[in-house]
Amino acid sequence: MTEALQALAAHARESFAEAIVDETHEHGELTLSVKRDQLRKVAKRLRDDNLFRFEQLLDVCGVDYLTYRAEAPEGARSGPRFAVVYHLLSVSRNQRLRLRVHLDDQLPVVDSVNDLWPSANWFEREAFDLFGIVFEGHPDLRRILTDYGFIGHPFRKDFPLSGHVEMRYDPEKGRVVYQPVSIEPRITVPRVIREEGYGHREG
């Protein structure tokens, strides 16, 4: 870990001691997991403090740990299912930082940071649309990628690959209608069975 990253981590621990749940260092970047109710306080200081100065929010993404928990060893499967990850950039200090907030399984809700970084607007709408994560305080939280009549959230790990309903234009009714999915599941990738020793050349 570089000296700059060590200094960033030390200042973060000093500034957010009670808010930090976990801290990791991967690929030359610092990731801080913070308590949900402390997100805005942490985010505002990361933006405004001269020792941080994370002026830009590059991305906000949802995460569904459903299958990750299912594959985890016994005793490690009780963690939260959903999380939101914020990717921050300090142009003036040439540093990056990830913030992660874990959310409730049944009702994943977190405060919006749209007023702190306006770039969060569409990112938060996307996470709402695809994961069903609600960002409280967002000025226009509605779907952005799927149709307004879409049912469910397609990036959740338990969402069926073919979806729940399909949409088509009905010429008799003169409008778009929704109906149960008529697509039959199929495998489009050819199955290749290789015999033992395939590709081995004997001299």
Side-chain angles (χ1 to χ4, degrees):
M1 188 166 57
T2 64
E3 291 184 9
L5 192 61
Q6 288 178 348
L8 174 62
H11 186 49
R13 286 192 295 269
E14 181 182 349
S15 303
F16 313 124
E18 296 180 358
I20 296 176
V21 177
D22 187 33
E23 172 189 325
T24 59
H25 312 87
E26 296 176 306
H27 311 296
E29 292 183 25
L30 174 66
T31 301
L32 297 177
S33 293
V34 299
K35 296 176 182 177
R36 183 182 60 180
D37 60 353
Q38 296 290 312
L39 171 65
R40 285 186 55 81
K41 178 182 176 182
V42 171
K44 191 174 188 306
R45 183 159 183 184
L46 286 173
R47 185 194 65 176
D48 298 340
D49 190 315
N50 283 331
L51 293 178
F52 290 124
R53 298 183 68 183
F54 287 98
E55 308 99 336
Q56 290 191 18
L57 174 67
L58 300 178
D59 190 25
V60 178
C61 57
V63 183
D64 183 354
Y65 290 106
L66 182 65
T67 55
Y68 176 84
R69 291 194 309 184
E71 296 169 1
E74 259 335 297
R77 300 181 181 180
S78 59
R81 173 178 173 178
F82 296 106
V84 179
V85 180
Y86 304 82
H87 298 260
L88 306 178
L89 171 66
S90 172
V91 177
S92 55
R93 301 184 67 83
N94 191 27
Q95 286 185 316
R96 293 173 183 263
L97 174 71
R98 278 187 298 268
L99 274 184
R100 179 170 52 205
V101 180
H102 290 285
L103 309 176
D104 294 337
D105 287 20
Q106 299 303 318
L107 187 61
V109 178
V110 68
D111 289 328
S112 172
V113 295
N114 180 68
D115 59 325
L116 299 177
W117 294 287
S119 61
N121 193 328
W122 282 15
F123 294 142
E124 291 181 349
R125 284 181 60 186
E126 182 181 45
F128 164 70
D129 191 359
L130 302 181
F131 290 93
I133 296 170
V134 176
F135 294 86
E136 286 191 328
H138 190 285
D140 186 24
L141 194 62
R142 56 192 167 97
R143 292 186 182 274
I144 191 171
L145 295 175
T146 62
D147 182 73
Y148 293 138
F150 193 88
I151 297 175
H153 304 283
F155 274 18
R156 289 191 174 191
K157 297 294 178 67
D158 53 2
F159 187 83
L161 201 57
S162 59
H164 296 292
V165 297
E166 63 185 27
M167 181 177 63
R168 68 174 177 83
Y169 178 76
D170 189 321
E172 294 181 2
K173 296 181 179 179
R175 63 181 175 83
V176 170
V177 298
Y178 295 89
Q179 63 187 39
V181 175
S182 61
I183 301 173
E184 293 185 6
R186 59 177 178 162
I187 298 175
T188 57
V189 180
R191 184 179 178 189
V192 179
I193 301 176
R194 294 185 174 90
E195 296 180 2
E196 188 176 349
Y198 178 82
H200 176 70
R201 293 185 178 181
E202 295 183 358

